[in-house]
């Protein structure tokens, strides 16, 4: 239980509501900043403005998945107010106060460093990345259905990268009957692809693998689908690039060649905000209870 813990939840989207629900059930004392337009009430939670929070008794600050922007502003879909978290505010918290954020950037890192507090970056954690790979794979299915006129079953699909997302994507499309090959650059990953009953290839040889594919799903966060690779793909091939911005595709060349190449960030929050929120809520609840 989180009885007696004072937690400030600042901004966010529908995923944050699952977190608020979970922490409220665990009896935390919640201050919700940037939620004026939220109609639902939660036991133990009160809506507050930044200057109403009693920072000196705050045990944890929860930022949204997006963290803060370069100016320290925190996004919220439940308010029109501008919310800014500064090092001066964080400094008012007790020394043990921890800041939790989905992702981080230089501004947030500097803010936490200046205030000498601890930052936990949730999206960097293996457990969250693996759980999140489930809605990400489902989002990739949605995009494949929306943007092709063929079935996934029997389609020739190349998945690039066998990390947390690549493994789930490859497995999911295989289970739907697609003809899946997976590109990786480490011998142990190539062995794992073979063990999974899929066709392995080294990404150095990507150019030789793409001439007959229908769909290419990239998870490698580096420019890997270059103009040279695109030039070898059939014109009808769909590219779904899941890697974080700017993705791993030469989108300019793909457009020039008349190919459909889609950068698809943030799929868990789009296709399954409730599940994506629960994933964060469960891990956060464990972390806060262990603190
Ligand atoms: P990950 O576990 O680090 O996987 C990335 C994989 O790419 C690693 O296995 C890495 O291998 C491999 N790789 C790097 N360079 C390569 C190359 N040249 N050839 C072959 N493989 C290469 O990361 P992840 O969690 O799967 O996430 C992948 C990307 O998807 C990230 O950019 C992440 O931000 C993004 N993402 C997007 C969504 C969405 O909704 N679109 C959702 C979740 C994550 P090594 O480990 O050997 O380097």
């Amino acid at each position: 239980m989180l009885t007696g813990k004072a937690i400030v939840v600042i901004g966010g989207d529908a995923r944050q509501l699952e977190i608020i629900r979970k922490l409220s059930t665990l009896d935390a004392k919640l201050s919700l900043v940037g939620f004026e337009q939220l109609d639902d009430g939660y036991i133990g939670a009160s809506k507050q403005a930044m200057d109403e929070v009693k920072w000196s008794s705050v045990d944890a600050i929860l930022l949204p998945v997006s963290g803060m922007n370069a100016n320290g502003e925190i996004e919220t879909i439940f308010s029109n107010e501008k919310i800014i978290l500064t090092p001066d505010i964080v400094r008012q918290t007790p020394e043990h106060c921890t800041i939790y954020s989905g992702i981080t950037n230089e501004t947030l890192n500097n803010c936490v460093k200046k205030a000498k507090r601890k930052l936990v970056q949730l999206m960097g954690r293996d457990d969250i990345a693996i759980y999140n790979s489930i809605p990400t794979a489902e989002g990739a299915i949605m995009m494949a259905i929306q943007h092709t006129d063929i079935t996934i079953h029997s389609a020739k699909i190349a998945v690039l990268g066998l990390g947390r997302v690549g493994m789930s994507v490859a497995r999911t499309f295989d289970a739907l009957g697609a003809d899946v090959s997976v590109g990786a650059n480490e011998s142990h990953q190539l062995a794992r692809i073979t063990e999974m009953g899929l066709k392995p290839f080294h990404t150095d040889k990507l150019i030789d693998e793409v001439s007959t594919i229908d769909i290419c799903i990239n998870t490698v966060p580096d420019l890997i689908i270059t103009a040279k690779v695109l030039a070898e793909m059939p014109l009808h091939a769909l590219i779904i690039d899941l890697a974080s911005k700017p993705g791993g595709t030469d989108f300019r060349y793909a457009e020039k060649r008349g190919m459909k190449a889609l950068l698809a960030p943030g799929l868990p929050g789009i296709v399954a905000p409730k599940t994506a929120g629960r994933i964060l809520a469960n891990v956060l609840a464990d972390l806060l209870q262990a603190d």
Side-chain angles (χ1 to χ4, degrees):
M1 296 298 283
L2 293 169
T3 310
K5 283 240 183 203
I7 299 170
V8 182
V9 183
I10 310 179
D13 53 29
R15 288 172 281 188
Q16 232 62 3
L17 301 185
E18 289 301 315
I19 294 172
I20 294 169
R21 194 167 291 133
K22 176 97 186 180
L23 301 186
S24 158
T25 309
L26 290 171
D27 200 26
K29 184 168 170 269
L30 299 173
S31 302
L32 310 181
V33 179
F35 289 88
E36 300 95 81
Q37 291 162 12
L38 177 68
D39 291 332
D40 312 9
Y42 297 91
I43 296 164
S46 63
K47 293 177 198 167
Q48 293 179 356
M50 284 297 264
D51 56 9
E52 291 169 341
V53 176
K54 199 175 161 225
W55 295 101
S56 59
S57 52
V58 169
D59 298 301
I61 300 173
L62 308 190
L63 302 184
V65 170
S66 55
M68 64 171 54
N69 71 14
N71 303 321
E73 289 167 30
I74 297 166
E75 263 180 4
T76 173
I77 63 163
F78 303 103
S79 167
N80 297 324
E81 298 294 310
K82 201 185 220 181
I83 302 166
I84 299 184
L85 186 69
T86 62
D88 284 340
I89 294 175
V90 181
R91 238 181 247 126
Q92 294 171 40
T93 62
E95 269 179 29
H96 69 265
C97 176
T98 303
I99 291 96
Y100 297 86
S101 175
I103 57 171
T104 187
N105 59 10
E106 222 182 305
T107 311
L108 179 54
N109 287 341
N110 284 339
C111 172
V112 172
K113 201 170 157 195
K114 278 186 190 159
K116 297 199 177 87
R117 297 294 177 269
K118 192 174 126 196
L119 173 69
V120 176
Q121 195 197 327
L122 296 168
M123 289 305 181
R125 291 175 57 94
D126 243 357
D127 48 5
I128 289 190
I130 292 170
Y131 286 129
N132 258 332
S133 73
I134 302 167
T136 306
E138 291 188 11
I141 293 171
M142 175 188 78
M143 298 197 72
I145 292 171
Q146 280 175 342
H147 295 281
T148 62
D149 51 10
I150 55 170
T151 55
I152 290 173
H153 188 280
S154 303
K156 279 197 73 140
I157 300 185
V159 176
L160 308 182
L162 191 77
R164 296 162 298 192
V165 175
M167 189 174 288
S168 301
V169 166
R171 270 210 194 99
T172 307
F173 279 84
D174 177 52
L176 289 173
D179 179 2
V180 179
S181 57
V182 185
N185 58 353
E186 300 277 354
S187 64
H188 69 91
Q189 293 168 337
L190 296 169
R192 178 60 68 199
I193 297 161
T194 308
E195 176 276 323
M196 290 164 72
L198 307 176
K199 290 185 204 110
F201 65 88
H202 198 290
T203 40
D204 282 354
K205 300 269 187 300
L206 176 58
I207 210 158
D208 304 328
E209 296 292 329
V210 296
S211 63
T212 59
I213 59 162
D214 299 306
I215 302 174
C216 183
I217 304 175
N218 178 48
T219 75
V220 172
D222 262 330
L223 180 59
I224 186 163
I225 309 178
T226 57
K228 269 187 177 170
V229 172
L230 288 163
E232 294 303 317
M233 283 188 190
L235 280 176
H236 77 268
L238 168 70
I239 294 133
I240 302 173
D241 199 333
L242 300 178
S244 51
K245 279 179 196 167
T249 306
D250 186 336
F251 288 100
R252 183 204 61 86
Y253 183 78
E255 191 182 351
K256 190 173 170 192
R257 203 171 166 242
M259 297 178 69
K260 203 183 262 183
L262 309 166
L263 186 62
L267 287 175
I270 295 168
V271 299
K274 201 168 187 128
T275 307
R278 277 187 192 152
I279 291 167
L280 290 167
N282 291 339
V283 173
L284 259 172
D286 287 347
L287 292 174
L288 289 164
Q289 285 179 105
D291 250 4

